[in-house]
């Protein structure tokens, strides 16, 4: 494989583009808005600068990485002549089905179509195409340049050959691929999201406060980040969406989203991306912290 297309320049998309480009692949980064592409490239550059400051890479690696990325707002132009397309658009079934229907019509017949979905059925996505044997899940973890795991999810019709190809490709990126079967939430989110939801229930039932809950999980369970802070970083809307997929898929009440999570999403309190979730990430709060450090 030589040329990779990544659809979506958001947090996951620009991270996926980053790791492919840094490992020598030509990357076509695609988004409907040029402002999103510009923001995505700026994020990649900032993350590369951080790696340089830590002595992980040299300046030349940054230049080569950015040089390997070309941006497109036209889907057809961006995916033509690519060996693999990785979709990293919003976690919405209808959006993904439409994207894959379009990809199937305009991509090379031999192109592999992958999705970075964290919960939606690969089999259902593949059914929107005429090449279900070439559709597979590549669930990268956030932040993509740092986290080693990639969940490789086989749909019902995904071929052994395609699975082997994607497993080997993931290793070329310095990742550790783990093959899982196609059930709601796969492995990572099937275990993680009920834990996050239970932490929210614990807060909702006033058992303890936000910092207290996170402190117990960090110090008592050796988690690097508490579940409520992690939910903020994932995005509360994303957490809600994944829980809904699992609840609809299993019809098990243990996956039903906590009312507090539902209300926070409806109120626009989505976590880091909105400036407020279980914690305050607003600019005024940042200014307070800076002031406190120098007072």
């Amino acid at each position: 494989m030589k040329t990779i297309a990544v659809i979506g320049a958001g947090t996951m998309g620009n991270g996926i583009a980053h790791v492919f480009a840094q490992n020598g692949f030509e990357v076509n980064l695609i988004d409907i808005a040029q402002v999103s592409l510009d923001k995505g490239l700026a994020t990649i550059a900032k993350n590369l600068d951080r790696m340089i400051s830590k002595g992980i890479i040299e300046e030349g690696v940054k230049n080569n990485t950015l040089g390997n990325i070309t941006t497109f707002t036209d889907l057809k132009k961006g995916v033509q002549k690519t060996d693999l397309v990785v979709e990293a658009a919003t976690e919405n079934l209808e959006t993904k089905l439409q994207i894959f229907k379009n990809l199937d019509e305009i991509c090379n017949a031999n192109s592999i179509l992958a999705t970075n979905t964290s919960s939606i059925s690969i089999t259902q996505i593949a059914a929107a195409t005429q090449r279900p044997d070439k559709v597979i899940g590549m669930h990268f973890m956030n932040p993509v340049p740092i986290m080693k795991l990639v969940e490789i999810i086989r749909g019902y019709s995904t071929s052994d050959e395609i699975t082997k190809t994607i497993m080997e490709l993931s290793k070329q990126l310095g990742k550790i691929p783990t093959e899982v079967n196609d059930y709601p939430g796969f492995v990572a989110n099937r275990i993680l999201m009920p834990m996050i939801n239970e932490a929210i229930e614990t807060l909702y039932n006033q058992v303890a406060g936000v910092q207290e809950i996170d402190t117990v999980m960090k110090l008592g369970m050796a988690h690097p980040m508490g579940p409520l802070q992690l939910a903020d970083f994932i995005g509360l809307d994303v957490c809600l969406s994944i829980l809904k997929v699992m609840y609809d898929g299993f019809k098990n009440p243990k996956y039903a989203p906590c009312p507090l999570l539902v209300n926070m999403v409806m109120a626009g309190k989505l976590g880091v991306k909105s400036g407020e979730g279980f914690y305050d990430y607003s600019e005024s709060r940042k200014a307070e912290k800076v002031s406190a450090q120098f007072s």
Side-chain angles (χ1 to χ4, degrees):
M1 287 195 182
K2 185 179 180 182
T3 307
I4 312 296
V6 178
I7 299 175
T11 300
M12 296 305 296
N14 70 60
I16 294 167
H18 175 160
V19 296
F20 272 108
Q22 189 175 329
N23 284 279
F25 292 90
E26 295 178 7
V27 178
N28 294 347
L29 182 57
I30 306 163
D31 202 289
I32 57 174
Q34 185 61 48
V35 64
S36 297
L37 291 167
D38 294 341
K39 185 177 179 181
L41 285 176
T43 298
I44 294 171
K46 182 174 68 176
N47 289 335
L48 288 166
D49 284 336
R50 186 178 294 115
M51 295 171 78
I52 292 171
S53 68
K54 293 181 178 180
I56 300 172
I57 63 172
E58 297 180 352
E59 186 73 31
V61 175
K62 174 187 175 181
N63 295 333
N64 290 337
T65 299
L66 294 175
N68 285 335
I69 302 173
T70 306
T71 61
F72 293 85
T73 54
D74 186 305
L75 179 65
K76 186 173 183 179
K77 290 181 180 179
V79 301
Q80 285 181 337
K81 299 179 181 180
T82 55
D83 303 301
L84 168 69
V85 180
V86 182
E87 172 272 321
T90 183
E91 191 73 352
N92 177 276
L93 175 61
E94 294 306 318
T95 299
K96 292 186 186 296
L97 292 178
Q98 187 58 56
I99 288 173
F100 274 78
K101 183 177 183 296
N102 293 341
L103 290 175
D104 189 48
E105 294 171 353
I106 60 182
C107 286
N108 184 300
N110 294 320
S111 295
I112 299 171
L113 307 182
T115 174
N116 182 58
T117 181
S118 56
S119 60
I120 297 172
S121 168
I122 307 303
T123 302
Q124 189 172 8
I125 292 173
T129 77
Q130 299 299 314
R131 62 179 90 187
D133 59 312
K134 295 184 177 67
V135 177
I136 194 166
M138 290 185 78
H139 180 207
F140 290 84
M141 303 294 125
N142 185 32
V144 181
I146 297 172
M147 300 295 280
K148 289 291 187 182
L149 176 67
V150 183
E151 271 190 310
I152 306 299
I153 308 102
R154 297 182 63 140
Y156 186 84
S157 301
T158 307
S159 72
D160 291 340
E161 179 185 0
I162 295 301
T163 302
K164 181 179 178 181
T165 297
I166 295 302
M167 293 283 284
E168 291 301 319
L169 177 65
S170 300
K171 292 176 184 177
Q172 291 179 42
L173 301 177
K175 302 300 183 184
I176 300 174
T178 302
E179 182 181 337
V180 304
N181 291 320
D182 187 20
Y183 292 97
F186 315 133
V187 171
N189 282 318
R190 184 168 179 170
I191 296 170
L192 174 64
M193 286 302 154
M195 183 192 74
I196 287 176
N197 199 43
E198 192 62 32
I200 300 171
E201 284 279 2
T202 303
L203 177 66
Y204 180 57
N205 292 324
Q206 300 182 342
V207 177
V210 171
Q211 293 188 0
E212 288 77 11
I213 291 169
D214 278 354
T215 297
V216 167
M217 296 305 292
K218 285 189 290 184
L219 300 185
M221 311 302 166
H223 290 197
M225 184 182 294
L228 299 177
Q229 185 181 16
L230 179 57
D232 276 353
F233 274 81
I234 293 170
L236 302 192
D237 53 336
V238 176
C239 293
L240 179 60
S241 175
I242 295 170
L243 283 165
K244 285 181 175 179
V245 167
M246 292 196 294
Y247 182 62
D248 290 342
F250 292 117
K251 300 295 188 288
N252 189 322
K254 74 178 181 180
Y255 299 114
C258 176
L260 176 58
L261 174 61
V262 175
N263 281 344
M264 290 180 71
V265 172
M266 286 195 297
K269 311 298 184 183
L270 309 181
V272 175
K273 70 175 76 175
S274 68
E276 183 180 352
F278 293 106
Y279 293 87
D280 187 349
Y281 306 92
S282 63
E283 291 301 321
S284 61
R285 182 59 178 158
K286 291 178 184 177
E288 288 176 13
K289 289 181 179 180
V290 172
S291 177
Q293 288 174 357
F294 292 94
S295 61

